[in-house]
Structures are given as structure tokens and as C-alpha cells.
């Protein structure tokens, strides 16, 4: 079972290193071009087989716009895809919209705790999640994948995939850099996960 996953394009909050989480922040111009570029890459990868693939995105606007721009670049109807709530980014709770530099002033002890175990750390706030909690959602989503899929999601979601599929240690998975201009190939049958150039 193949999944091609891409992270949404850049937003202003990405550029400012703000914790975005589930805040609905739109793409910026760089992100729009990244989305188009990933669509060009996907068209080259999938060729005439696009009709065999399920297209699914996180319901946040940055992932939906990325999907629509990618599909347009592939020559497909932009709006013909579905969304899945489980693909939302992890929630940073009360920390969403803040930078780590800002948080280090207000929450130095919590930042230290987060640096000690980023995978299991839960920020303050009733909706907040850890990467571990996120991985439960993503694991459930992957069990429901029944055919070849193109997925547009978030950095944290892809980190969870690296942990679940490639067996990366929690710290390594949490610290993995997730580019916004590359396509990730996931083979669930072989438990392999690779960036495509």
C-alpha cells in the first residue's frame, strides 16, 4: 500500500517559527509555490495512474489550499479530494502562536522539560497533545488506508509516520526536519519511508 505524503506549504507563522498547531493559518506566497511544485512532482511520479489514488488532506485551510494547488498542477480538478480530522496537526494548546524564544521567558521550566523529552511533552492547555498522542491518531488513520493514497498533512503528522513506520526512536522522530517542498513515499507493505527528490 503506497502513500505519497506532502507537508502543507509555508505560512507566515512557519517563517516566524511560531507554534502553529491547529490554528488555521493560510499559506504565504512561498507556500503557494511549494504546493504547486509538489503537484508537478506528484504528476511526474504518478503519471497516468492518478485515478487509482485516494486524495485526502487535513481539514485546515493551509493543507486544503496545498492540496488544491497541487491537484491543479497535476491537471486534476482542484476540489475533488476528501478531508480527515485525524490528519490535523498536533495541538500546542495555550502555546499556539508563540515562538520558543517567547515561551522560554514565560515558561523556562516547561521548555527545559520539553527539551528533555519532546516526544512525550504535553504543553499547557486543555486541547494540547504530545507527539505520542498524535501518533495514536495517525496510527488509526493508517489502519484505515485501503488503497494508494496522496495525503497532504503537517510536520508533526509526518514525524509520527516516521516513528510508526520507520521505527525511529522518539527523540529522533520528534526532531526530524520535515521540508515543505518534497514528496514523501511511504510503503506500508514494506514499512519503508523515503523522501523523493
Amino acid at each position: 500500500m503506497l502513500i505519497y505524503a506532502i507537508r502543507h506549504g509555508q505560512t507566515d507563522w512557519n517563517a516566524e517559527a511560531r507554534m502553529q498547531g491547529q490554528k488555521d493559518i493560510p499559506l504565504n506566497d512561498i507556500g503557494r509555490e511549494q504546493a504547486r511544485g509538489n503537484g508537478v512532482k506528484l504528476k511526474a511520479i504518478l503519471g497516468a495512474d492518478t485515478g487509482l489514488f485516494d486524495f485526502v488532506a487535513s481539514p485546515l485551510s493551509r493543507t486544503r489550499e496545498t492540496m488544491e494547488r497541487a491537484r491543479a498542477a497535476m491537471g486534476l480538478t482542484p476540489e475533488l479530494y476528501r478531508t480527515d480530522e485525524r490528519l490535523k496537526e498536533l495541538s500546542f494548546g495555550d502555546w499556539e502562536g508563540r515562538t520558543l524564544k517567547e515561551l522560554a521567558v514565560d515558561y523556562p521550566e516547561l521548555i527545559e522539560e520539553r527539551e528533555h523529552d519532546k516526544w512525550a511533552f504535553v504543553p499547557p492547555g486543555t486541547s494540547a497533545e504530545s507527539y505520542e498522542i498524535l501518533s495514536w491518531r495517525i496510527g488509526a488513520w493508517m489502519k484505515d488506508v485501503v488503497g494508494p493514497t496522496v495525503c497532504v498533512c503537517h510536520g508533526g503528522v509526518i514525524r509520527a509516520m516516521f516513528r510508526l513506520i520507520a521505527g525511529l526512536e522518539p527523540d529522533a522522530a520528534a526532531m526530524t526536519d520535515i521540508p515543505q517542498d518534497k514528496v514523501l513515499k511511504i510503503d506500508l507493505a514494506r514499512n519503508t519511508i523515503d523522501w523523493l527528490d
Side-chain angles (χ1 to χ4, degrees):
M1 197 76 62
L2 288 179
I3 300 172
Y4 290 99
I6 60 173
R7 183 182 177 191
H8 63 80
Q10 188 188 84
T11 69
D12 286 346
W13 277 21
N14 289 143
E16 296 164 5
R18 295 193 179 280
M19 292 195 163
Q20 204 157 224
Q22 295 184 4
K23 291 287 188 199
D24 210 2
I25 309 303
L27 298 182
N28 61 24
D29 287 342
I30 292 171
R32 292 182 186 102
E33 181 55 28
Q34 289 169 331
R36 188 201 65 76
N38 279 329
V40 170
K41 291 172 190 171
L42 283 168
K43 182 177 183 178
I45 292 164
L46 303 185
D49 292 335
T50 56
L52 304 176
F53 281 76
D54 180 28
F55 286 77
V56 60
S58 156
L60 297 178
S61 66
R62 61 188 181 268
T63 41
R64 287 187 287 110
E65 184 178 357
T66 298
M67 175 67 88
E68 289 167 17
R69 288 180 178 275
R71 284 182 58 86
M74 296 172 75
L76 302 174
T77 305
E79 299 82 13
L80 291 184
Y81 66 95
R82 62 186 183 86
T83 61
D84 193 309
E85 291 283 330
R86 294 173 294 182
L87 292 172
K88 279 185 177 179
E89 181 62 289
L90 75 102
S91 170
F92 290 110
D94 296 344
W95 284 9
E96 291 186 358
R98 311 276 308 272
T99 66
L100 284 175
K101 188 175 181 181
E102 292 167 351
L103 292 166
V105 174
D106 296 337
Y107 302 96
E109 69 291 339
L110 290 180
I111 292 297
E112 186 175 330
E113 183 183 331
R114 181 179 185 266
E115 288 175 1
H116 179 69
D117 188 359
K118 188 176 177 183
W119 187 261
F121 178 77
V122 180
T126 54
S127 67
E129 299 172 294
S130 65
Y131 281 103
E132 177 65 24
I133 294 168
L134 172 65
S135 72
W136 303 338
R137 275 200 276 125
I138 302 313
W141 175 77
M142 287 193 304
K143 285 180 183 174
D144 288 344
V145 172
V146 295
T149 300
V150 172
C151 167
V152 179
C153 54
H154 304 269
V157 170
I158 294 174
R159 289 183 183 100
M161 290 176 178
F162 269 100
R163 171 87 176 116
L164 293 167
I165 297 160
L168 283 189
E169 290 299 315
D171 283 347
M175 298 301 291
T176 297
D177 182 49
I178 309 298
Q180 291 168 300
D181 59 353
K182 285 194 171 183
V183 175
L184 186 67
K185 180 181 179 182
I186 300 163
D187 188 329
L188 294 179
R190 294 188 173 96
N191 279 337
T192 60
I193 184 166
D194 299 290
W195 291 110
L196 303 178
D197 291 322

